[in-house]
Amino acid sequence: MSQEAALEVGSRHDLRVGRSPDAPDEADFRDPAGVFGYAHSYESSSRYDGPGLRVVLFLSGCLLRCTYCHNPDTWHLKDGTRVSVQQILDRLKTFAPALKSLDGGITISGGEPMVQMEFTRHILEGAKELGLHTAIETSGYLGDKVDDRFLSVLDLVLLDIKSSNPDTYKKVTGRDLAPTLRFAERLAKIGKPAWVRFTLVPDSTDDPDNVEGIAKFVAPMKNVQWVEVQPFHQMGAFKWKAMGIEYQHNDTKTPSPELIARVIGQLKAGGCNAR
Ligand code: SF4
């Protein structure tokens, strides 16, 4: 087992690989204790990943393989640093006064925070004890495994709906869309605040019918405060190259302002609060 190590502050744009070579495989990771886990990095002052000022913790492990993923170095637990819940909470405690005074909190992202479900829950519980607002960013793919206890320590879900079309979703992520939609419906049923995030990738997810499908699905959900359009960018391309994995988007352009405006306009016209 890799030794526990200090988790370095950094950025989602840092390339970090091979930190815990003997970590288990993320596909069948089960750890009911959830005292230790694997993390990529954390950022101490995001204003983008939830309300107010946020600490964003990027955990390792993801079961999707999005063709445009900006952080393939978060896919495998073995690339992350092995850290304890206590270590994370000790660090978080030092930020808590500033986060609270700026109406923020912690957002756990990844990778996919639900891969290390118990580890994530323990961090969220600790953050609540510090009086912080809590959020996760998730694809919802493992949403069927989430229990009410997990949801009870979560103030906001940033839910990535990468496509409304099952075929496009499969093509883009390698996985099925249905679990994500089921999780979205469950959040709506219990009134859990959510922001839906949609990555806009030219010639991939930008089809008007695809956008229309997201608007139709989300508009009736009163718990969804925002639908956020996230334009594809090339800032993660260097990671694919460095990791020796084939990247399909070498020639994909960042969406034009006109395309972004069209998609936001479509979502608004469909009844969503979009930006
Ligand atoms: S869900 Fe996120 S971390 Fe996982 S492959 Fe897709 S973009 Fe990357």
Side-chain angles (χ1 to χ4, degrees):
M1 182 61 68
S2 307
Q3 292 302 302
E4 193 184 334
L7 181 63
E8 300 154 53
V9 67
S11 143
R12 64 196 84 188
H13 303 303
D14 295 342
L15 175 68
R16 293 185 178 176
V17 291
R19 303 286 172 111
S20 302
D22 52 1
D25 192 282
E26 51 284 350
D28 43 34
F29 183 68
R30 300 282 177 278
D31 179 15
V35 176
F36 293 93
Y38 299 87
H40 175 275
S41 60
Y42 70 93
E43 293 176 6
S44 59
S45 56
S46 166
R47 286 209 168 263
Y48 177 66
D49 302 285
L53 185 76
R54 322 278 313 169
V55 162
V56 186
L57 175 65
F58 297 94
L59 295 188
S60 304
C62 186
L63 304 187
L64 274 56
R65 292 292 176 265
C66 301
T67 59
Y68 54 76
C69 180
H70 301 139
N71 297 304
D73 54 341
T74 63
W75 290 351
H76 305 296
L77 299 179
K78 68 181 167 59
D79 284 329
T81 302
R82 188 169 188 264
V83 285
S84 68
V85 171
Q86 197 53 53
Q87 223 181 317
I88 289 172
L89 293 178
D90 287 347
R91 183 63 58 88
L92 191 58
K93 204 173 183 174
T94 65
F95 296 117
L99 297 174
K100 278 194 273 193
S101 70
L102 291 164
D103 301 321
I106 181 170
T107 300
I108 306 182
S109 182
E112 166 56 63
M114 290 183 191
V115 167
Q116 302 182 78
M117 193 80 79
E118 293 306 305
F119 183 58
T120 298
R121 180 175 60 77
H122 282 128
I123 299 167
L124 294 172
E125 282 176 353
K128 288 310 291 174
E129 279 168 23
L130 292 172
L132 294 174
H133 179 277
T134 57
I136 60 168
E137 176 164 20
T138 176
S139 72
Y141 179 69
L142 295 173
D144 291 344
K145 296 184 188 301
V146 168
D147 59 18
D148 292 344
R149 189 172 169 196
F150 188 98
L151 291 175
S152 72
V153 284
L154 203 47
D155 294 315
L156 174 71
V157 178
L158 309 180
L159 180 65
D160 295 326
I161 303 184
K162 294 159 191 292
S163 171
S164 65
N165 177 306
D167 294 337
T168 305
Y169 193 91
K170 184 91 174 191
K171 210 166 138 194
V172 166
T173 70
R175 295 285 181 172
D176 291 335
L177 169 62
T180 299
L181 300 187
R182 277 199 299 275
F183 187 58
E185 281 163 346
R186 182 169 161 206
L187 296 176
K189 202 169 163 192
I190 62 170
K192 182 67 70 182
W195 295 2
V196 167
R197 293 184 145 186
F198 169 64
T199 308
L200 176 59
V201 188
D203 301 322
S204 176
T205 65
D206 59 343
D207 185 72
D209 288 347
N210 187 35
V211 178
E212 191 74 33
I214 289 182
K216 268 201 185 121
F217 179 73
V218 173
M221 296 180 165
K222 301 282 173 260
N223 63 315
V224 176
Q225 299 168 345
W226 287 105
V227 179
E228 297 190 309
V229 176
Q230 302 191 298
F232 166 83
H233 60 70
Q234 290 285 8
M235 286 173 75
F238 82 97
K239 293 190 178 185
W240 291 72
K241 201 169 170 194
M243 293 173 72
I245 37 181
E246 193 190 346
Y247 183 56
Q248 296 178 19
H249 292 286
N250 284 315
D251 299 324
T252 304
K253 301 262 182 289
T254 301
S256 65
E258 292 76 22
L259 177 57
I260 296 169
R262 189 212 85 200
V263 169
I264 292 176
Q266 257 193 293
L267 292 166
K268 284 183 175 169
C272 299
N273 208 14
R275 60 186 178 190

